[in-house]
Amino acid sequence: MSKETPCIAVCMIDPKTSLCLGCGRTLPEIARWHRMDSAERHAVMAQLAARMADAGLARPAMAAGATTD
């Protein structure tokens, strides 16, 4: 996957939080990702780990060592 996307190809939306279980983005963020500029993408990516933790969602093991830069 591109360095400018947190996608790890585990695309399932949690019905309670509306977050993707793979990357932590919302459906609106995923839908407009290709229209965001780099700064906006990086701002969203900076929030994802905390967002997932706050929602009580664990990132898949295969993503644990993944980096976004």
Side-chain angles (χ1 to χ4, degrees):
M1 295 287 146
S2 167
K3 291 181 181 181
E4 284 224 343
T5 181
C7 181
I8 59 166
V10 177
C11 306
M12 293 188 309
I13 301 299
D14 178 68
K16 291 182 182 178
T17 65
S18 298
L19 298 176
C20 174
L21 294 172
C23 68
R25 292 179 293 170
T26 63
L27 280 175
E29 288 169 340
I30 293 167
R32 68 177 220 276
W33 194 257
H34 69 284
R35 294 187 307 266
M36 291 181 184
D37 63 27
S38 183
E40 189 175 6
R41 288 178 184 170
H42 285 279
V44 170
M45 287 190 287
Q47 300 172 18
L48 296 179
R51 182 187 288 180
M52 297 273 291
D54 290 347
L57 300 174
R59 293 195 67 182
M62 60 192 255
T67 61
T68 58
D69 45 15

